[in-house]
Amino acid sequence: MNALVALCHFCELHGPRTLFCTEAVHPPSPSPPQPGPAIPGDRDREADREGEGLTMRANSSATQRADMCEGCRSLPASHPGFVSVDSETGIRYLSHQHPRQPQLFSVVRQACVRSLSCEVCPGREGPIFFGDEQHGFVFSHTFFIKDNLARGFQRWYSIVVVAMDRIYLINSWPFLLRHLRLTIQSLQNTALKVFDSEQCVCPQRAVRMNSAFSPAVFPHQRSGNAARSLTSLTQHPNLWASLHSSFSWLLKACGSRLTEKLLEGAPTEDTLVLIERQTDQEEEMSGWDGAEGGGSNPQPSQSESVQAKDFQFDDGGQEDLFGPKFKSLRHLRQVLGASDFRQLSWHVLMGNQVIWRGADPGLIQSAFNVLKALLPVGCVRAVPYSPHYEEAYRCNFLGLSPDVPIPAHVSSSEFSLLVDVLNVERGCVNPISDDDILSLYQFNISSANTQPTDKGPTLLNKMEVALCNENLSVEVVSLCLLCLKEEWMNKVKVLFKFSKVDGRGKDDTQKVLALLGATGPGEEDNVRLLKFWMTGLSKLYKSHLMTAVRGGERTLSQ
């Protein structure tokens, strides 16, 4: 994390002062080799000397000339400071009273003054944020330390975190607040024990009430000690080493907890639909809970509960299925055969109801998990396994047990396809592996649709080209299909805006289809696919288009 942590103190004689500072020094970038003989060990010795001497330069001449009392000083001028090296990244964490660079010294000095003077929160104790682009942004936490000899029996301190990245610092607010409070509470508890022991020996309240008061000499009336060091207030022998460890860990942990990620454009339609479905399900569940409390809403039926539970598939659910299962579209194509697979995929892309009937729910659900990759999330409505038939308007993927009859109007409809999964009778002489699906099951595909599926749609043709290419792995084929879906989803958005929102005529719509590349061979299938995929658009996108059109019409009328 490109930041700096400092402990600051408000001295009664000298005002705000920086006591202890920890900064991160990143390793230098590799430079091209210089001509000349290389001396082994010189670079290591030079790096060691620089690491030891970085903090030696912290006490600049201006700092040494400044008037500093015991309370304003943490480490003596001869102290080399503290250095910790991160073996993973090579970053060095250096701690001394002041930063090693004059520019950082000025920035920390200003943050110290502001944190202990004007930039304070109500009650004077607690976190606050301030800063600007020129002097950096500061997360400051002010607090008090008990002192038996101080005015009001306490001294004012602050811990500041200075960084140039405002967004990163604000996002780190909860993390910084939680861990800085642990450090502050440790200091306060340690100082409180010293304070209580000193009060038991010599209560200062009675001494001050019985002594003459003079504002001019008040700071010097306590044995000439205007300010006590934090070490004496806490009686901690390794206070600065402990603070160095705490501040170094804070910089390392805060830098590793947040990482930057490249986001490619706006959320996809699938993401928006998933968010909307999750919101709707949460609202339905909260509505059921409220109705149960009042006793006015009946419980949903079993089929409705199953449909609500399995309304969308879980990508990680494939590993939870036991027994044989389909692993990918290529695997499904190999099992069913090229002709039956194309017929099945055609019905899926056209939005027809696809029914799988068999005794193995895991196999049927794995088939649906594979086939859902052909459609946008908004077009997938599934009941993976049901004891009775569900109408097509409720689901386009339906799994049934083998004894469930198919209604006559469904079996004779051209908008449905039935896949019967039959168990293959086999003897026990040669055991067969459960992974060999063809040795376990037989698949019979039937449909009343007589329309040939060899021309289109274009998406299916391109998908089969990728599936037939054995040089492409399953992962690459999945990415190809994802790109094809995004391409055709963009065409759906254009057609929806042009036909549904703007209300253009048939001739203009035909020109748009030609512009989108949806005409030619398989044009009828392409149009059916686009119209079906319109139903998968998110509510947010549709409402956005409607609002934009109404807003534009209002502007023109005004």
Side-chain angles (χ1 to χ4, degrees), residues 149-166:
L149 300 180
R151 286 185 295 181
F153 300 104
Q154 58 186 11
R155 295 194 183 276
W156 197 12
Y157 291 84
S158 71
I159 298 179
V160 296
V161 181
V162 186
M164 299 304 296
D165 193 338
R166 176 175 60 90

Side-chain angles (χ1 to χ4, degrees), residues 312-470:
Q312 62 188 31
F313 291 101
D314 184 6
D315 291 336
Q318 192 84 337
E319 288 76 8
D320 299 333
L321 301 178
F322 298 99
K325 59 186 178 183
F326 295 105
K327 302 175 182 179
S328 63
L329 283 173
R330 178 174 288 172
H331 185 210
L332 180 62
R333 186 172 185 269
Q334 293 173 352
V335 172
L336 298 182
S339 177
D340 288 344
F341 176 80
R342 182 178 179 86
Q343 185 181 7
L344 173 64
S345 301
W346 184 88
H347 281 272
V348 171
L349 292 174
M350 296 298 105
N352 297 338
Q353 188 178 42
V354 175
I355 305 171
W356 283 61
R357 187 169 58 179
D360 191 347
L363 179 70
I364 295 177
Q365 186 170 348
S366 69
F368 291 162
N369 285 336
V370 169
L371 290 172
K372 70 166 186 176
L374 299 174
L375 296 176
V377 174
C379 295
V380 177
R381 304 182 311 277
V383 177
Y385 207 69
S386 175
H388 54 81
Y389 173 77
E390 298 285 352
E391 293 293 339
Y393 71 89
R394 296 178 63 89
C395 58
N396 54 341
F397 290 101
L398 176 61
L400 298 176
S401 56
D403 56 345
V404 176
I406 303 298
H409 71 279
V410 176
S411 58
S412 61
S413 173
E414 63 178 6
F415 302 108
S416 64
L417 178 136
L418 175 63
V419 180
D420 275 316
V421 183
L422 306 176
N423 293 333
V424 176
E425 296 183 1
R426 54 176 177 148
C428 58
V429 178
N430 295 322
I432 302 175
S433 173
D434 287 342
D435 294 334
D436 190 1
I437 297 180
L438 284 176
S439 63
L440 298 172
Y441 304 102
Q442 179 182 352
F443 301 91
N444 294 334
I445 297 179
S446 59
S447 175
N449 181 65
T450 57
Q451 181 179 354
T453 61
D454 54 343
K455 292 184 179 180
T458 306
L459 175 62
L460 179 58
N461 297 331
K462 293 183 177 180
M463 180 195 68
E464 285 204 318
V465 171
L467 289 174
C468 293
N469 191 346
E470 295 295 337

Side-chain angles (χ1 to χ4, degrees), residues 121-263:
C121 62
R124 301 184 70 182
E125 270 192 305
I128 196 169
F129 183 88
F130 59 88
D132 52 52
E133 296 286 348
Q134 182 179 0
H135 301 94
F137 298 93
V138 182
F139 173 88
S140 171
H141 196 300
T142 53
F143 60 98
F144 291 100
I145 294 291
K146 283 292 186 179
D147 184 2
N148 191 40
L149 300 180
R151 286 185 295 181
F153 300 104
Q154 58 186 11
R155 295 194 183 276
W156 197 12
Y157 291 84
S158 71
I159 298 179
V160 296
V161 181
V162 186
M164 299 304 296
D165 193 338
R166 176 175 60 90
I167 301 300
Y168 195 98
L169 197 57
I170 292 177
N171 289 336
S172 302
W173 177 291
F175 176 84
L176 294 173
L177 180 60
R178 181 170 62 255
H179 291 283
L180 286 182
R181 278 180 173 172
L182 295 176
T183 303
I184 292 171
Q185 289 174 2
S186 177
L187 291 174
Q188 290 176 332
N189 294 336
T190 307
L192 182 60
K193 295 178 182 179
V194 177
F195 175 79
D196 292 338
S197 62
E198 292 180 350
Q199 283 286 69
C200 293
V201 175
C202 180
Q204 287 291 317
R205 186 177 299 275
V207 174
R208 296 181 189 182
M209 293 180 64
N210 295 329
S211 62
F213 176 76
S214 175
V217 298
F218 177 76
H220 304 279
Q221 286 181 346
R222 291 152 295 176
S223 302
N225 187 12
R228 302 167 63 186
S229 65
L230 186 60
T231 306
S232 63
L233 292 179
T234 58
Q235 297 296 320
H236 195 304
N238 299 317
L239 173 65
W240 306 118
S242 177
L243 284 178
H244 166 75
S245 300
S246 177
F247 289 170
S248 300
W249 179 88
L250 185 70
L251 290 176
K252 175 179 173 57
C254 193
S256 60
R257 62 179 295 271
L258 295 178
T259 57
E260 295 181 352
K261 291 184 179 180
L262 179 62
L263 299 179

Side-chain angles (χ1 to χ4, degrees), residues 288 291-292 295-301 304:
W288 290 344
E292 288 175 3
S296 59
N297 192 11
Q299 293 291 331
S301 63
E304 291 175 349

Side-chain angles (χ1 to χ4, degrees), residues 3-37:
L4 184 148
V5 185
L7 173 66
C8 307
H9 163 57
F10 188 87
C11 179
E12 295 177 354
L13 292 180
H14 306 107
R17 290 300 175 97
T18 304
L19 286 182
F20 196 72
C21 177
T22 301
E23 56 181 315
V25 179
H26 294 263
S29 57
S31 57
Q34 300 294 332

